[in-house]
Amino acid sequence: MQLALQVLKKVLPAAACTALLCSSPVLAAGDQPSVPYVPTPQAVVERMLAMAKVTAGDYLIDLGSGDGRIVVTAASKYGARGFGVDLNPERIDEANDNARRNRVTDKVAFYQRNLFDTDLSQATVITMYLLPRVNLQLRPKLLDLKPGTRLVSHDFDMGDWKADEHVRMGANDKFSGAGGESDVYLWIVPAKVAGTWRSRLTAAGKPQTYEIRLEQKYQSVGGSVRVNGKPALIQGAKLSGAELTLSFTAEINGAPVKHEFSGRVDGGRMAGEAALSGKQLASRVEWIAERTEAAR
Ligand SMILES: C[S@@+](CC[C@H](N)C(=O)[O-])C[C@H]1O[C@@H](n2cnc3c(N)ncnc32)[C@H](O)[C@@H]1O
């Protein structure tokens, strides 16, 4: 990663001011590239798409798409649809040629556009080979995407938003054949779950009321639970996209009962199942919770 950063940093001032990019009449004022052109080695492209588990049902957007190799590979190998954006018109021409050569023009498109002005709401997968500061600039917008959207970045992370998966691999054809190592990072956009949630269940023949307070930093979740007003500590909490699992032990009728909730978060509502197990109790019931107060 250090080498990649050094190379990108070294070429950035020169690349940002090549005659093509700085004097191009088709670039709007202020639309200067945030990152120079360095292609992702094909083996790394394949790994990025495999990590994101791309399928024909996906819509992939590559931010700063270069010669279009990521979008074209997603379409030709997996049947995914999508588009790429790049400020450099030469790259857009190369990407369109690439799509024609690979017969995927019905699935992909390339637009000469600033990545910061691009509507990402259609994406199920976003790929990037940018720079750390550009990733950080994009981060708030990425965190607001649909929960479950997969983000894959070549070489650069997202600061204190830790990746859900990270691999390092060798790539002989990196940096025009000089070779090097590539880091590939995957994040799954987490649902926003922080706040207070209320739920009711019938257990041991009686209604039980639950108040669940959740705190969240990116995909990491913790908090506390009160069952019928009595505190119970959360033992485990995991959030992946919109899928949340929570486990805690609470007293019901004077006996400890383990609760394992799993469900999907959709705005201010969670719905799923709760598995309850205790000495005199083992049941699986429908579980619905409503958010009564969002975190400030
Ligand atoms: C490091 S290259 C990555 C190319 C391609 N995604 C790949 O992985 O092979 C970054 C690309 O982003 C483009 N770019 C830089 N700043 C941009 C911006 N603000 N909006 C759109 N494209 C940009 C550059 O022209 C360059 O083609």
Side-chain angles (χ1 to χ4, degrees):
M1 167 170 158
Q2 274 314 320
L3 179 62
L5 188 52
Q6 278 161 19
V7 170
L8 282 172
K9 276 185 175 160
K10 224 196 250 168
V11 293
L12 179 59
C17 271
T18 56
L20 177 69
L21 292 171
C22 281
S23 63
S24 170
V26 281
L27 286 186
D31 269 351
Q32 295 307 327
S34 327
V35 186
Y37 179 51
V38 180
T40 295
Q42 187 59 31
V44 179
V45 171
E46 310 269 345
R47 179 64 77 94
M48 290 169 79
L49 300 177
M51 269 170 82
K53 299 192 171 76
V54 170
T55 70
D58 277 311
Y59 197 93
L60 182 147
I61 300 176
D62 187 27
L63 298 176
S65 45
D67 68 1
R69 58 184 61 197
I70 298 179
V71 185
V72 167
T73 306
S76 57
K77 185 164 177 185
Y78 297 102
R81 291 174 309 125
F83 69 80
V85 293
D86 205 292
L87 278 180
N88 188 332
E90 217 184 341
R91 297 284 97 78
I92 298 296
D93 288 346
E94 286 167 8
N96 282 321
D97 284 348
N98 193 355
R100 275 191 289 276
R101 274 198 314 279
N102 285 281
R103 299 175 202 277
V104 291
T105 50
D106 58 330
K107 291 193 162 58
V108 307
F110 294 95
Y111 305 111
Q112 188 189 349
R113 190 179 294 161
N114 194 326
L115 61 92
F116 289 107
D117 302 331
T118 299
D119 177 1
L120 307 179
S121 55
Q122 226 185 327
T124 57
V125 178
I126 290 190
T127 53
M128 301 165 276
Y129 184 20
L130 299 168
L131 278 173
R133 73 174 159 75
V134 182
N135 284 4
L136 287 185
Q137 265 175 284
L138 279 169
R139 195 171 74 179
K141 193 170 170 181
L142 298 174
L143 278 163
D144 271 344
L145 290 173
K146 278 189 297 284
T149 305
R150 290 99 81 205
L151 315 174
V152 194
S153 171
H154 179 195
D155 269 348
F156 303 116
D157 65 17
M158 209 85 79
D160 67 353
W161 182 9
K162 297 288 169 245
D164 292 287
E165 222 179 301
H166 167 219
V167 295
R168 179 165 294 168
M169 60 185 285
N172 294 336
D173 49 341
K174 198 166 183 181
F175 305 135
S176 308
E181 285 202 316
S182 279
D183 287 281
V184 183
Y185 299 89
L186 169 79
W187 296 262
I188 298 173
V189 174
K192 294 185 170 64
V193 299
T196 306
W197 299 77
R198 274 184 219 281
S199 174
R200 283 172 147 265
L201 285 182
T202 300
K206 288 192 190 149
Q208 318 288 337
T209 59
Y210 296 79
E211 184 185 87
I212 303 165
R213 284 175 195 268
L214 294 180
E215 289 143 24
Q216 169 174 28
K217 186 161 186 199
Y218 308 117
Q219 69 274 57
S220 155
V221 176
S224 59
V225 184
R226 295 182 85 86
V227 183
N228 304 323
K230 287 196 190 146
L233 259 194
I234 292 182
Q235 287 149 337
K238 192 169 181 293
L239 179 65
S240 177
E243 307 286 336
L244 179 72
T245 57
L246 278 180
S247 60
F248 55 89
T249 299
E251 271 198 14
I252 298 217
N253 287 352
V257 174
K258 181 154 194 203
H259 292 63
E260 287 172 298
F261 284 174
S262 60
R264 273 187 76 79
V265 181
D266 185 4
R269 191 171 189 270
M270 289 183 204
E273 275 196 342
L276 309 179
S277 52
K279 265 197 173 155
Q280 297 136 22
L281 182 70
S283 64
R284 196 169 265 280
V285 292
E286 192 190 10
W287 171 58
I288 291 172
E290 308 267 345
R291 181 158 29 199
T292 55
E293 200 185 316
R296 274 176 231 150

